[in-house]
Amino acid sequence: MTGVCLMSVLSGTRTRPSRVRGLVPTLVFLGLVVAVVSSLGAPLIPAVAEVHHVALVDAQWSLTVTLVVGAMVTPVMGRLGDGSARRTVILAGLALVVLGCVLAALPLGFAALLAGRAVQGAGLGLTPLTIATARDALEPAKARPTMAMLSITTVAGVGLGYPVTGLVAEFGGLPAAYWFGAAVAAVALVAAIRVVPHARHLKRARLDVPGAVLLGAGLGALLLVISKGEEWGWFSGAALATVVIAVAALVTWVWHERRSSHPLVDLRLLRFPGVLAADVAALLSGTGMYLLVSLIVQFVQTPPAAGGLGGSVVVAGLVLLPFSIGSLLAGRIAPLFIRRGRTGVLIPGAAVLALVSVGVFGFVRHDYAVLAVVMTVTGLSVGTVFAVMPGMITRATPPHETGSAMSFNQVLRYVGYATGSALSAAILAAHTPAGQRYPETSGYAIAAFAGVAVWLLTGVFGILLPGRTTPPQQAEPTGAAEQVLVDESVADGLPGDEDEGARG
């Protein structure tokens, strides 16, 4: 107990050993809640249209509204989570997910479903808070792999969540999928109440309200035009006006943040190559990931007469399962390179693998076995990129900025997701003959080559940007006091790498 007590005294809070041991699986489970919230979107759009008797373009809002709200609240949750209110913010986010799922499940009409999906958007802000909690509550030897695992969880959960929610919706109806989401979030809420530690030792975070409003307006407008541009027309008055609003709000936000004494996101951190590389990688890899996922989901469900495979929504979800397997495999492989000091090769190497897999889809896609290989390799690539990013950011940021920096990185992922989805839709729409419902097969090839270009850019930036990521004044302490904590916590049986802890 000596190590735990000493850590508690230094941190200003008391954490029970049982809570420390149960913290990692609880944080991972919270990451799965984010995946469930995501899986309640794209796969269920046709069911939403059918049940609520609305057009597919209107049902698309059940995905768009969640992404928009998630992008708006994630930076706010990340900044508040950098202070003593972190536990409260996590619990509030989970409670909102439960409320949103219940609201969407009740037979109150399409407007209530959209409101529920909007409330669920708060769940998308949980990932950076779990990463900040792991960095703060765990010893360094355990924190590093845990942060990488948490970054991967939401990616791996996509492949797991899509077939599960598809099965629930197919056999239990649309409301059953949302009740399933409510149950998962409720279990996570109970676990978080019992396990997630307080952060009273941290100062209360000051919220930059003008910055939050400007960033929320800018990102909301940007994601809105990305998601609805094809429906509106990219050069329509509505689309152009929304672009002007997005640009004006984001430019003003950058100007404000650079002059604020307590910014929502400390943009000065972007001067460190590691942080900049992680943010660029988040945007590009998110775009490449969702571009391919969107293509495959639609291609599998396209009838054979129109050049597709004619599978159901459940089959389309199962095709994504290898993506999760590849992502989880990345969580095992990436640490081996990191421990050997080969972090710099991971993003370029992952980009090359993804580039090849997307290219294969462009040429050969009429076989489920080929799709399984493509999704496995893509999952390995995306999982590797996402596993590296937390370490790149935390090595260049002080602990009190972790939540904010990770939340901004998460926001860029969401922008990438929406961009990839919109890009695939725009290309396929351009190759859909007038009066036809399904695109020509050439559209999938061209969209795949666009994905190749995205991953090529990812590889180039992965080579050019990283460099040294740890500023000397922000390096992790390695003095005698920290060594006593590590050694005594290992002696007390806390989770971690005992050999690494003993070596210091």
Side-chain angles (χ1 to χ4, degrees), residues 419-475:
T419 303
S421 178
L423 182 60
S424 67
I427 294 174
L428 293 182
H431 291 81
T432 301
Q436 299 295 318
R437 181 177 180 182
Y438 299 102
E440 298 174 338
T441 56
S442 59
Y444 290 99
I446 294 175
F449 298 147
V452 168
V454 170
W455 283 110
L456 180 61
L457 285 175
T458 306
V460 170
F461 281 109
I463 293 172
L464 296 179
L465 289 179
R468 180 173 63 85
T469 60
T470 309
Q473 70 273 19
Q474 293 174 356

Side-chain angles (χ1 to χ4, degrees), residues 106-337:
L106 293 174
L108 301 177
F110 183 58
L113 183 143
L114 290 183
R117 287 290 292 159
V119 174
Q120 291 169 38
L124 299 182
L126 290 172
T127 300
L129 297 180
T130 62
I131 292 174
T133 300
R135 182 182 191 182
D136 187 52
L138 300 174
E139 60 181 64
K142 187 66 174 177
R144 287 187 291 270
T146 300
M147 289 188 295
M149 184 192 312
L150 292 171
S151 185
I152 293 173
T153 298
T154 53
V155 183
V158 169
L160 295 172
Y162 273 45
V164 171
T165 54
L167 279 170
V168 173
E170 183 162 313
F171 294 102
L174 180 64
Y178 295 116
W179 284 121
F180 168 72
V184 171
V187 172
L189 176 59
V190 172
I193 291 173
R194 293 177 58 86
V195 175
V196 173
H198 291 277
R200 297 191 184 99
H201 59 290
L202 298 176
K203 295 181 180 179
R204 182 178 179 182
R206 293 179 57 180
L207 180 62
D208 175 19
V209 177
V213 172
L214 287 169
L215 182 60
L219 289 174
L222 178 63
L223 286 177
L224 185 62
V225 74
I226 288 174
S227 301
K228 307 301 292 183
E230 181 64 28
E231 176 188 341
W232 291 345
W234 292 104
F235 296 100
S236 66
L240 294 176
T242 308
V243 169
V244 170
I245 293 173
V247 172
L250 291 175
V251 169
T252 306
W253 173 73
V254 171
W255 177 86
H256 170 77
E257 293 297 284
R258 290 177 61 86
R259 287 158 178 76
S260 174
S261 58
H262 295 87
L264 183 69
V265 178
D266 189 355
L267 296 179
R268 292 171 297 183
L269 296 174
L270 292 176
R271 72 181 185 274
F272 299 125
V275 177
L276 180 60
D279 287 345
V280 172
L283 178 64
L284 292 176
S285 60
T287 301
M289 168 187 160
Y290 253 68
L291 190 152
L292 181 61
V293 167
S294 300
L295 289 177
I296 286 184
V297 167
Q298 180 162 339
F299 178 74
V300 170
Q301 296 182 77
T302 299
L309 295 177
S312 66
V313 63
V314 176
V315 173
L318 290 174
V319 170
L320 300 183
L321 188 58
F323 182 85
S324 292
I325 296 173
S327 301
L328 294 173
L329 185 61
R332 298 288 185 180
I333 295 176
L336 300 178
F337 284 84

Side-chain angles (χ1 to χ4, degrees), residues 11-106:
S11 66
T13 186
R14 295 183 63 84
T15 303
R16 297 177 182 175
S18 60
R19 288 190 174 187
V20 175
R21 282 193 293 269
L23 182 60
V24 174
T26 299
L27 294 178
V28 172
F29 190 65
L30 298 189
L32 291 177
V33 171
V34 180
V36 169
V37 171
S38 301
S39 67
L40 292 172
L44 302 182
I45 289 174
V48 169
E50 181 179 351
V51 170
H52 292 278
H53 307 290
V54 297
L56 279 173
V57 292
D58 295 324
Q60 183 76 21
W61 277 97
S62 63
L63 170 63
T64 303
V65 71
T66 308
L67 286 174
V68 170
V69 173
M72 293 170 67
V73 304
T74 294
V76 176
M77 293 175 66
R79 172 53 71 194
L80 293 176
D82 276 332
S84 56
R86 180 188 298 151
R87 172 183 160 90
T88 302
V89 175
I90 291 175
L91 298 182
L94 289 168
L96 287 173
V97 174
V98 175
L99 174 63
C101 289
V102 170
L103 186 59
L106 293 174

